[in-house]
Amino acid sequence: MRFELSETQQLLQKTARQFLTNECPMAEVRKRMETDNPHDAALHKKMAEQGWTGMIFPEEYGGMALGMVELAATFEQMGRVLLPGAFFSTVALAGSILDAAGNPEQKAKWLTPICEGTALATAALIEESPEWETATWSATAKASGSGYVLDGKKMFVTDAATADFIVAAVKLSGELALVVVPANAPGLSVRALRSYDLTRRVSEVSFQGVNVGADHLLAKGAAAEAALHHGLNVAVLALTAEMAGGMARALEITTEYAKTRKQFDTVIGKFQAVQHLCADMYLWTESSRAAVYYAAYALDKRLPEADAAISVAKVYAGDSYREVGNRGIQVHGGMGFTWENDMHLFYRRAKASESALGETAYHRERLARLVIDAV
Amino acid sequence: MRFELSETQQLLQKTARQFLTNECPMAEVRKRMETDNPHDAALHKKMAEQGWTGMIFPEEYGGMALGMVELAATFEQMGRVLLPGAFFSTVALAGSILDAAGNPEQKAKWLTPICEGTALATAALIEESPEWETATWSATAKASGSGYVLDGKKMFVTDAATADFIVAAVKLSGELALVVVPANAPGLSVRALRSYDLTRRVSEVSFQGVNVGADHLLAKGAAAEAALHHGLNVAVLALTAEMAGGMARALEITTEYAKTRKQFDTVIGKFQAVQHLCADMYLWTESSRAAVYYAAYALDKRLPEADAAISVAKVYAGDSYREVGNRGIQVHGGMGFTWENDMHLFYRRAKASESALGETAYHRERLARLVIDAV
Amino acid sequence: MDLTLTPEQIQFRDELRAWLKANVPAPVPRGTEESMEQRFARLRVWQRQLFDAGWAGVSWPKDCGGRGASLLEQVIFLEEMARAQAPQMANTLGLGLIGPTIIHYGTQEQKMRYLPKILSAEEIWCQGFSEPNAGSDVAGIRSDGRLDGDHFVINAHKVWNSYGWVADWCALVVRTDPTAAKHKGLTYILVDMKSPGVEVRPIRQMSGESEFAELYFRDVRVPVANVLGKVNSGWEVALGTLMHERATLGSSITIVYRRMFDKLVAYTKNTIRSGRPLSEDKGIRQKLAQAYAELEVFRVAQLRSVARVSSTGVPGPEGSFLKIFWSEYNQRFQQLAQEIMGPYGTLEEGSPYAIDGGEWAYGFLRTRGNTIEAGTSEIQRNIIGHFVLGFPKSY
Amino acid sequence: MDLTLTPEQIQFRDELRAWLKANVPAPVPRGTEESMEQRFARLRVWQRQLFDAGWAGVSWPKDCGGRGASLLEQVIFLEEMARAQAPQMANTLGLGLIGPTIIHYGTQEQKMRYLPKILSAEEIWCQGFSEPNAGSDVAGIRSDGRLDGDHFVINAHKVWNSYGWVADWCALVVRTDPTAAKHKGLTYILVDMKSPGVEVRPIRQMSGESEFAELYFRDVRVPVANVLGKVNSGWEVALGTLMHERATLGSSITIVYRRMFDKLVAYTKNTIRSGRPLSEDKGIRQKLAQAYAELEVFRVAQLRSVARVSSTGVPGPEGSFLKIFWSEYNQRFQQLAQEIMGPYGTLEEGSPYAIDGGEWAYGFLRTRGNTIEAGTSEIQRNIIGHFVLGFPKSY
């Protein structure tokens, strides 16, 4: 039994860290986030060349067929540098749903370009009442001619503005259906929302009589529910891995500051109050990391506790990243409250992640069903 | 406008403090608490001589007709010394219900001996499901001959073992009724429960075909509900005042210890970690005190917000006393964990008070009805 | 203990309430296009209006343009202003901090010179205490004030300055005796912001706004007559100002926070999830009730503190716990709002679907400053430890 | 990353599980009349039974009576013991702390002399580290060990001693060079508790029990041969012991805590309030799920730490966060149980209506010791600050 990464996994992690530190310095992140579109196409292409866009997908579609632990190790590094743009929504969200829901032709058509880095994508799921039970969703697909026509509105769609296509969750004859909608389909409109995370944008996506071909239906009914379930587990795992990476970086920045900043004729890191704030940050960071890798392992091995492990990681990382941010800002004092200091960028990502893909209360309720009701 | 006590009130408070410090030292409390019956009859008599047993009751029954602020000021001092025994249940609980519910003859019969210090009493309210909505209670009184016969079981009755009579809340023809039951009535039995607070005992009280005269019925229906409502407000106020006093004393003991205990060649009170624990204790103590006196004032003046103010004080003091205890024990280190150290006696009182007269969750729900539903 | 108002206080309150009802300008909705300058000009007009009607400087001496009433009337004033949702007055620091300091330490000439124009908003004030290396450690000030004849020549770099961009005057603390011990050798001096050598640079906050600025003073000449209190006793004067900051801030805060609480309750009543209003969710009810309880406790603790200050005349170090209380309450409350609102809570000003114009997204981020500004929570706990509980200094 | 067990480990686990199933004695219900002595005798028999079957000292050297397996088998052993609700073994400190220290620092003679009898429970061990003035400050030990020929003459007063009343041997730390710096000059020495001059006095805890005692040593003569490690290097030996305390404790804790969690869930499902089981209350569901999440995170963080220790061989200071985690988790969890159980949660052993024999009332009070014993939370945070994050020492 070993909890640490294998040598290959460590190499992957190290490479990712080096690559991202070089290619995505904070100055670049800041430049990107001040624009309307934080996605960096050139960087995405380079990541595709590293094979990351296909990391977890089958080799026949251009992927590397690696596992969830490798996914977590890579996203952890992305979280450290606050990688802006659509990598997350393309690979972890839309890609993993496509992989689980599509037939070989569909995967060749949509998953292969994702692996190649030539297509960006996302998934449109929750609606105006931002609930994660699929039964609450009301956007529809109706059979129409040889295809389907879609109507409805989706909210908080991650990086919809840059997506080439969107996997939409709709109701088809009362059942859940997953449908691929090209971004340029007539009747599809995207309206930007302005939210905390400037490096990862969310939008409202409306479908007004959007026509798609029959081959755009990936799955419906139980198959759609299962594929979405899996895809969301993968996406939550990637998100929490990013969060663990963000916490680790925020802790580093904070301890570095506390070791140099002087007040009362001494570095503030000498004060117990400051050290204890940092010790709590350390506790949350290391604990979150353990939870994330365990969830990766459980998902990889399809252990019965995988769902619970994913929700545990989301609940814990959600509270932890926010609290790490709170204390990190507090240790920085006034500096931590300025735009120029990087702490708030991590904090904005923390808050956005906390409410993304199911808020903490939703995942707690999911756990309650698993550990109270199911017993 | 003045928030501080008036000179008369301050004098009362000072006298109470002196009296209780002299008459009820911690060694005495410890002696009492190790026995089956922590009530000290001689001390109760002395307190009656001070007029405290009749403090808030009308002069015609031997009382002093003072107000709620005076009540709070006195109980705060009692909380400081962890006064053991039945003063609280007799005066704040049974006495205040009697005062609100009884007719002049009934008050002459039962309230006068309370004021004189010759009778001890309590109230039997919640049942096996420990809920505070009177609608959930199921013990009954039935008309029988010229009086009533009582059946049912009451739980967590404060100091029932020493009571001369018990005010029982029962259902009479489906309505709430308050009935005085002499402790020696055949069919009444008291079984001691062993709970945290060794200075204030609770019992199970059973009524099995207990016969009482018609004059033992104090009130029923709306009048009973109103009297009980008032009596409980007074009792909660007294309880929270005690809690504020207990917090203040626990803080004193803790700061004294931290100023003398040495580790790492310095008094531990020099460490920020210790100071900050004590600062939190100070915040909770002073805030609780303000909440309690405001509740006393609101109840005294029968302000519309009196109910809310009482529940606010209970909610806040409940959390605060426990947290003051938690930190007080922590600052004491191993010493705080010993039987010989007084911290745990305050802590036991804190925990018992937190769950007495409506747990925190009950009072929060009461507040929710007042500030969410009623708006 | 008697919390009832005197007939005079009731009359004062009722008159004020009636006046405010008639005069408070219609609120400018969040997100309205308005420059900082336009907004400030609007607040300046509003203050002038209050001044002309005799409502500015309620507890200030009559001969300086004030009303000569007690601190309690001042508290009533702040509460009524908040209750009426009146805009704040333009000269916030002049009215709340620097004016009271001048009243306490100023000469008669200084009072007559500065106070009326503070009240009328004719002269706007800012304050220069914090420095890059003197934040929590206020006494660590390095700014240099060198005596040159009947002037001080000042070289200073101040941070976290509010209103500097519009201020006419600055209350500055500089080191005038570099050889003295840390807390000695400081001087509190009033500086004309139009003096040559003064520069103001905005600091952008994490919440996106620029409430604060950096101030640079380069060889700025200030007459010795502008010293408040004595030369080299600026620490004492500055401490007085800091105490005042704590004493009165809470009065309007409770009303503002209560309004936010009511808004959040309304949101839970109007928002349906799983077919029922959020206000019926037992978990949410418990948390809202908890927030209400805490806010009420803060209100009465603040009331108790004001009552004490108004009888003793001086705010004491025990007030530190109120600073901790409101700042940490507000952080908990805004986090609760975020939990209740979910992703909608993160939508900022200008976004479609932003709740209350993005007030909640802004409010949450802004709270992070609460436990830092006006003395960090750590400093407040140090103050309680040392000055209230009598422990040795821990810093 | 690979958390699967090897075939050998699975075989080990399955054999152990089968053995435990066949041999674990029926639990003695809480509240059964049983003296401390009777209880201990029972645990001693149980340990002997494990020893005879070859399950004691799983990771100890074979030539000392152990099984010679790795730390992971030891963890599996602890987990299976907890899972089977097996009683703990009598010689807790000998097995968990002192034995491993002897394995690491002892001479071959010492190993052969002491270890087998630790495993068989023939000799019970206790430990004497803390003193009235050396609690958190472990190096502040004043107990005196004066060399006299080939003996040390020991005068010591130790507190927070477990098992002293029944121990045959004590691992004692005394000051043997009073002139050396604080951390130098200490010696770790093994003392026969039957030596003349040893006295044991029980300390009663706030929870009512007497887990702990004070030890007095008056002119107790101990052969120099009983020193573990070198004279005057007892600090290093003691630190090793403290590290071991942290490394293995968590393994059984997670199982014990999980059982308590399951019991609490069962309570909420079986308890009706306002006509519905408590387990359907949304607020309670959220809190239980939160507790579950935290406990799971602790379990996997502990797993990660054990995996690391088993590959590096030494527990590091980073393990301090696990101590903070379980102790604070347990306090939160027991407080949650109190909230759910209301007044019933406060009923102690022997009371009518006490839930699970008073286990919850006891458990809650007992948790207050969790953040104090085995290094206070403050000390653990200091350790993380200094040794892990690299800040200057703050104490």
Side-chain angles (χ1 to χ4, degrees), chain D residues 313-334:
Chain D
V314 273
E318 69 279 1
S320 280
F321 87 85
L322 294 169
K323 167 71 211 313
I324 299 174
F325 199 133
W326 70 253
S327 57
E328 296 186 351
Y329 161 81
N330 200 31
Q331 293 182 342
R332 287 190 295 271
F333 172 76
Q334 291 281 353

Side-chain angles (χ1 to χ4, degrees), chain B residues 128-131 153 194-196 204 261 263-264 322 326 330 334 337-339 344 347-348 351 354, chain D residues 132-133 135-137 160 204-206 273-274 335 344 346-348 351 353 361 364-365 368-369 371 378:
Chain B
E128 201 157 342
S129 177
E131 296 174 75
K153 196 165 74 176
R194 185 183 157 84
S195 176
Y196 278 153
E204 172 192 30
R261 166 75 175 169
Q263 289 286 275
F264 303 106
R322 183 190 68 244
N326 286 344
Q330 187 69 21
F337 196 60
T338 61
W339 188 268
H344 79 102
Y347 196 59
R348 286 165 173 274
K351 285 299 298 175
E354 186 182 351
Chain D
N133 292 303
S136 287
D137 182 13
W160 302 114
R204 192 174 174 198
Q205 286 162 236
M206 64 180 266
R273 294 280 179 268
S274 315
Q335 169 63 20
Y344 287 102
T346 70
L347 295 180
E348 297 191 315
S351 176
Y353 298 98
F364 177 81
L365 291 183
R368 299 327 312 172
T371 48
E378 289 72 31

Side-chain angles (χ1 to χ4, degrees), chain C residues 98 101-102 105-107 109-111 113-114 123 125 147 149-154 168-174 176 187-195 198 217 220-232 234 237:
Chain C
I98 298 151
T101 309
I102 293 175
Y105 293 97
T107 62
E109 290 72 31
Q110 288 173 326
K111 290 183 196 177
R113 162 67 191 81
Y114 298 112
E123 289 176 350
W125 284 73
L147 194 61
D150 57 355
H151 279 69
F152 278 104
V153 180
I154 291 173
D168 301 285
W169 285 88
C170 179
L172 198 66
V173 180
V174 293
T176 42
T187 295
Y188 191 112
I189 192 166
L190 311 178
V191 181
D192 187 335
M193 289 290 280
K194 287 177 292 292
S195 312
V198 178
F217 297 82
V220 175
R221 297 185 65 85
V222 186
V224 172
N226 287 18
V227 169
L228 195 67
K230 295 197 188 111
V231 171
N232 294 337
V237 183

Side-chain angles (χ1 to χ4, degrees), chain A residues 317-368:
Chain A
D319 285 343
S320 296
Y321 200 0
R322 182 189 68 246
E323 291 299 332
V324 163
N326 286 344
R327 279 160 186 73
I329 292 169
Q330 187 70 20
V331 169
H332 276 82
M335 281 306 297
F337 196 60
T338 61
W339 189 267
E340 294 316 312
N341 189 283
D342 290 337
M343 286 308 295
H344 78 105
L345 303 184
F346 289 91
Y347 197 59
R348 286 167 173 273
R349 174 66 72 84
K351 286 299 297 176
S353 304
E354 187 182 351
S355 70
L357 298 179
E359 307 142 59
T360 308
Y362 165 77
H363 283 281
R364 282 204 210 98
E365 176 59 25
R366 194 167 97 139
L367 281 176

